[in-house]
Amino acid sequence: MVSKTAGLADTIAGTSSICTVGKGVGLNYRGYGIDDLVAHACFEEVAYLLIYGKLPNKKQLLEYQDQLVSMRSLPAALKTILEQLPKNSHPMDVLRTGCSALGTLEQEQDFKQEQHIASRLIACFPAMLLYWYHFHFNGKKIDTQLKDSLSSAYFLHLLHQKEPSPDQVKMLDNSYILYAEHEFNASTFAARVTAATLSDFYSCICSAIGTLRGPLHGGANEQAFELISLYKDAEEAKKGLLKKLADKEKIMGFGHRVYKICDPRHETIKAWSKKFADQSGDRRLFEVSEAIETVMKQEKNIFPNVDFFSASAYSYCKIPTNMFTPLFVISRTSGWSAHIIEQRANNRLIRPMSEYIGPEPQAWLPIEER
Ligand code: COA
C-alpha cells in the first residue's frame, strides 16, 4: 500500500522566492512568466536573473556573457581525468565526475565565491562533456575556448565542430530557458538538502546531477527518444502505444507531479520540433511523437511534459541521445545555484522524519535460533 506521505506529494517542504510552478499563477522565475522569458530573453539573462536575483541591464548582460566566455577553459588535470574515463561512460556520469574533480582543483574556500562557481560550472560543463566526447569518439583534443557569446551556440559549435544554424541556436537557447528552473523538483531538493548541511557548492551540484540522471526526472527525455525511435510511422506508433498501455507500461515524457492539465513548457518545444520536421522534410519523428501524444490524451488523459518533444527537437539538431539530460544539467545549474544560494542565506538543516511501519520492539534473537 502506498502511504499518504509517499513521494512528499502535496507537501510544502520550505519557502523560496525563486519560482512558482502552477498554483494558479503559472511558471514564473522571480516573478517573470516563462512565455515572456522565452519570447524576450536569452539563457544568460535568465541565468543572471536566477543567480543574482534581478534581470541584468544591457551592460551587465554583456559583461556576464563575456565572463562566461572567459570561463570555458579546462584545467590540464581535469582534461587528464576526462581522458581516463571509459569511452562507454554515460555523459551524466562524465559531468558528475567532472564537477567533483573541479571541486578539488578549484576548491570553494568561502561562500562568497558561490556566484562565481555557479557561472564557472555553467560555462565549462559543455567543455567537460565535449572534450571527453571528442577525445574518445574522434581521437581529438579539442580547444574548448570558443568565443560564441550564447551558451547554446557554444554547445552546438563544440559538438559539431562547426558553426550551428541560427534556428538550432535559438531552439537550444529556448530549451535552456525552459529547463533552467522548476521550484522544489527532485534534483533541486537534493541540492538544497546537501546545501543545508553547509557542504561545499560542488557537492550540492553533484547531488543534483545524480538525482537528475534518473528516468523519472531528467532522464525522461532520453527514454522518450528511445520510445519514438521504435516506430516507423504514426500508424505503427498508435498500435505500439496501445499495446504498451494495455501492458501497463509507463510512457516516458508524459505526466507530471505538479501540473495536472498541461505543462506550460510543452508548446514552445513542440513548435520547434514541428519547425525542424518541416524544414528537413523528414517528418517521421514529429509525426510519431504527435501520434503518441494523441493516444495518451485519448486513452489516459495524460499530457506530454517538456521532455517529450525535446527528444525530437534535439534529435533534429543531431544531438546524441545520451547528451539530452546533460543539456538539462547545463541549464538547470542556474536554478540549482539559485536554490543553493537561497538555502545558505537562511539555513536550517533539512532533516524530516519517517512514518515507522516496521516491527514492534522485540526480544534479541541469538544467532543459533534464527
Ligand atoms: N505513463 C502512463 N501512466 C502514467 C504516466 C505515464 N507517463 N504518468 C502517470 N501515469 C499514471 C500512473 O500510472 C498512475 O495511474 P494509477 O493511478 O492508475 O496507478 C497515475 O497516472 C498517477 O501517476 P504517478 O506515477 O503516481 O504520479 P506521480 O506524481 O508520482 O509521478 C511522474 C509523476 C512525472 C513521475 C510520472 O508522471 C512519470 O513517471 N512520468 C514519466 C516520467 C517523466 O516523464 N518524467 C519527467 C517529469 S518532468
Side-chain angles (χ1 to χ4, degrees):
M1 198 190 73
V2 180
S3 145
K4 272 194 288 183
T5 51
L8 298 179
D10 301 320
T11 305
I12 306 260
T15 57
S16 174
S17 57
I18 300 169
C19 179
T20 56
V21 174
K23 298 179 189 125
V25 287
L27 177 57
N28 297 283
Y29 302 168
R30 298 208 187 269
Y32 296 100
I34 193 67
D35 290 340
D36 276 341
L37 293 169
V38 166
H40 306 294
C42 61
F43 168 66
E44 292 70 29
E45 227 168 330
V46 172
Y48 188 102
L49 170 70
L50 291 167
I51 294 168
Y52 291 93
K54 63 179 177 54
L55 282 173
N57 61 30
K58 200 165 183 179
K59 180 166 174 285
Q60 288 167 327
L61 176 59
L62 289 174
E63 281 171 5
Y64 190 54
Q65 288 179 317
D66 283 350
Q67 186 195 350
L68 291 175
V69 169
S70 74
M71 291 173 140
R72 290 174 178 165
S73 67
L74 301 175
L78 178 51
K79 288 186 190 169
T80 306
I81 291 168
L82 294 169
E83 288 168 17
Q84 287 174 6
L85 295 180
K87 181 177 176 175
N88 69 353
S89 305
H90 191 289
M92 286 295 279
D93 299 340
V94 173
L95 288 185
R96 197 193 56 233
T97 306
C99 178
S100 187
L102 198 68
T104 66
L105 298 167
E106 299 175 7
Q107 296 171 23
E108 183 179 34
Q109 308 289 353
D110 185 316
F111 281 7
K112 290 194 191 91
Q113 292 171 289
E114 56 197 5
Q115 287 155 330
H116 174 88
I117 295 173
S119 303
R120 170 73 166 136
L121 288 170
I122 292 169
C124 78
F125 272 148
M128 282 180 203
L129 178 65
L130 293 164
Y131 183 88
W132 166 84
Y133 172 76
H134 285 294
F135 180 83
H136 289 282
F137 290 87
N138 299 320
K140 282 200 292 188
K141 296 186 181 191
I142 58 162
D143 174 14
T144 61
Q145 195 58 56
L146 305 183
K147 299 281 179 233
D148 310 75
S149 57
L150 294 178
S151 305
S152 52
Y154 174 58
F155 179 89
L156 292 163
H157 195 167
L158 272 189
L159 172 63
H160 295 129
Q161 294 291 293
K162 61 174 190 195
E163 286 197 18
S165 77
D167 273 348
Q168 291 188 359
V169 172
K170 190 69 187 161
M171 181 284 292
L172 191 56
D173 187 68
N174 279 183
S175 172
Y176 277 170
I177 293 172
L178 297 175
Y179 272 137
E181 165 54 13
H182 218 216
E183 201 225 30
F184 276 26
N185 58 85
S187 56
T188 300
F189 194 61
R192 287 191 80 125
V193 170
T194 308
T197 69
L198 300 183
S199 185
D200 72 297
F201 205 92
Y202 299 92
S203 297
C204 301
I205 300 288
C206 284
S207 298
I209 295 173
T211 309
L212 188 72
R213 191 186 189 296
L216 294 189
H217 192 5
N221 54 16
E222 296 182 18
Q223 303 268 326
F225 187 75
E226 302 303 330
L227 174 72
I228 56 181
S229 306
L230 292 176
Y231 308 115
K232 68 174 187 317
D233 58 32
E235 264 323 293
E236 206 180 283
K238 279 184 188 162
K239 281 192 203 127
L241 208 78
L242 287 171
K243 162 107 181 52
K244 282 185 183 296
L245 292 179
D247 292 344
K248 304 249 174 286
E249 277 189 44
K250 200 159 233 193
I251 309 303
M252 293 301 161
F254 282 83
H256 200 272
R257 170 60 64 77
V258 179
Y259 300 127
K260 296 300 169 210
I261 300 167
C262 69
D263 181 332
R265 304 163 296 178
H266 155 73
E267 286 300 339
T268 301
I269 203 69
K270 180 177 177 182
W272 276 113
S273 173
K274 180 170 185 319
K275 186 166 185 177
F276 289 137
D278 293 343
Q279 279 176 357
S280 68
D282 175 3
R283 300 184 52 78
R284 185 183 70 88
L285 289 178
F286 180 74
E287 286 174 0
V288 164
S289 303
E290 249 197 340
I292 294 173
E293 182 185 4
T294 306
V295 175
M296 286 299 281
K297 174 85 191 139
Q298 278 165 3
E299 300 296 315
K300 302 274 293 182
N301 200 22
I302 297 182
F303 55 88
N305 56 51
V306 65
D307 290 319
F308 191 63
F309 277 91
S310 298
S312 49
Y314 286 175
S315 179
Y316 279 120
C317 297
K318 302 204 168 9
I319 297 170
T321 314
N322 60 8
M323 289 190 191
F324 292 1
T325 321
L327 286 173
F328 197 158
V329 170
I330 295 164
S331 154
R332 185 59 64 85
T333 298
S334 57
W336 290 334
S337 300
H339 281 273
I340 296 164
I341 293 166
E342 183 177 66
Q343 181 66 40
R344 284 174 165 187
N346 190 14
N347 190 55
R348 190 165 185 218
L349 182 75
I350 298 174
R351 201 295 189 196
M353 284 166 60
S354 71
E355 178 190 356
Y356 181 70
I357 53 166
E360 293 297 317
Q362 49 190 327
W364 172 246
L365 204 55
I367 200 158
E368 315 71 53
E369 292 174 28
R370 289 175 213 163

